Amino acid sequence: MQPEYLQKSRALMWLFLSATLCPSAISPAYSDSLVVANREGDDFFESVQKDVSVSGTVIVGIAAAGAQSGPATLAGLVLQTTARMICLTTQSRDGVYYSRNSYSVPLQTDAATLIQLPYKETKQPDLILGYEQGDLAVQTTPGSCEQGSNTYLIAARDQNFDSVELLINGFGATAVFYQTPDGSGASCTEFMAGRRTSYDYQCSVPVSQLDQGRQVILIERERYGRPLGSVEVEVQLGPEA
């Protein structure tokens, strides 16, 4: 009987090799409409540091359920958009890993296109592979990383998902809530185990509470019943209307 840690390590490596050699082992097969984006710039930007400071933003990650992990990122996240440029940012919950890179979409069309963001240039595949679901915050925005954007696209492991996950830095909050444009809302879940340097709450928003296109989700935080202020998050679910 192999030790549990060895079984887990080999299982994770199998996932990575499957994604590299046969992407359909992790992501479902797509039609010819799937377009692989090209990373912009000379070097793939990523950093690894053991001693890190707390993230300066409340919203750290926004992606479809199942996409906030190392294996999903390594397999190549997908999203449907008309954007010509996309900025992909990843940040680990323990604060050790961070990356931020711009991608260009080679297919020039006004029609919504299913885009895949390759991650094969990373020099840290083993480290990234160890980040399980909820351990790696993912966010994608339209335009280059230098341009910046306040709108978040929804990257996914595949296009079949039933919720969108927001990873939140509560900055000392003891409770975090979300509210969608239709008035729906719920409490967010606090991460209790492991380091929580970059973020400490997860809000799972059912797709049934969201509309297609741009919309605003409200994030509210409290500390022992005292409001800490709210944050509005603009998300783009699916292509532009």
Side-chain angles (χ1 to χ4, degrees):
M1 185 70 177
Q2 295 176 337
E4 183 178 353
Y5 77 89
L6 184 57
Q7 294 178 23
K8 181 178 180 181
S9 175
R10 289 183 175 179
L12 287 172
M13 184 54 69
W14 180 88
L15 283 172
F16 175 59
L17 290 175
S18 298
T20 304
L21 301 177
C22 181
S24 62
I26 287 184
S27 299
Y30 290 105
S31 67
D32 293 337
S33 63
L34 176 64
V35 175
V36 178
N38 299 317
R39 190 189 57 77
E40 294 288 292
D42 296 331
D43 299 307
F44 184 88
F45 178 77
E46 60 185 347
S47 65
V48 177
Q49 46 189 342
K50 299 302 180 182
D51 298 317
V52 292
S53 58
V54 177
S55 171
T57 60
V58 172
I59 309 300
V60 182
I62 299 180
Q68 308 274 25
S69 75
T73 301
L74 288 171
L77 296 169
V78 296
L79 63 159
Q80 192 176 30
T81 182
T82 56
R84 300 291 192 265
M85 295 283 295
I86 300 168
C87 176
L88 169 63
T89 304
T90 64
Q91 187 169 357
S92 62
R93 180 158 57 96
D94 60 17
V96 172
Y97 182 79
Y98 177 85
S99 76
R100 187 172 175 84
N101 292 281
S102 298
Y103 292 81
S104 63
V105 179
L107 183 64
Q108 297 297 308
T109 174
D110 291 333
T113 307
L114 195 61
I115 308 298
Q116 186 173 46
L117 305 178
Y119 216 78
K120 60 185 178 182
E121 292 179 275
T122 177
K123 295 181 175 60
Q124 304 293 333
D126 293 337
L127 174 64
I128 299 170
L129 197 62
Y131 289 123
E132 300 178 349
Q133 180 61 31
D135 291 342
L136 189 68
V138 171
Q139 59 175 258
T140 50
T141 55
S144 68
C145 296
E146 289 73 22
Q147 291 175 313
S149 174
N150 293 323
T151 301
Y152 294 87
L153 306 174
I154 305 301
R157 192 163 189 160
D158 58 60
Q159 287 300 291
N160 298 313
F161 56 90
D162 56 13
S163 64
V164 173
E165 296 175 348
L166 286 73
L167 299 179
I168 307 296
N169 187 337
F171 288 103
T174 56
V176 177
F177 313 88
Y178 78 83
Q179 183 175 345
T180 57
D182 67 355
S184 301
S187 299
C188 302
T189 303
E190 184 177 8
F191 289 99
M192 302 303 295
R195 290 177 61 183
R196 309 184 302 168
T197 304
S198 299
Y199 54 92
D200 49 6
Y201 281 88
Q202 174 179 292
C203 306
S204 295
V205 184
V207 171
S208 60
Q209 296 178 1
L210 299 171
D211 296 322
Q212 290 290 306
R214 293 192 180 190
Q215 60 216 289
V216 174
I217 299 174
L218 182 67
I219 300 297
E220 297 181 285
R221 297 170 297 134
E222 293 182 356
R223 181 171 176 80
Y224 301 115
R226 180 179 179 181
L228 293 178
S230 59
V231 176
E232 291 186 343
V233 186
E234 184 176 73
V235 301
Q236 173 75 41
L237 186 62
E240 291 277 5

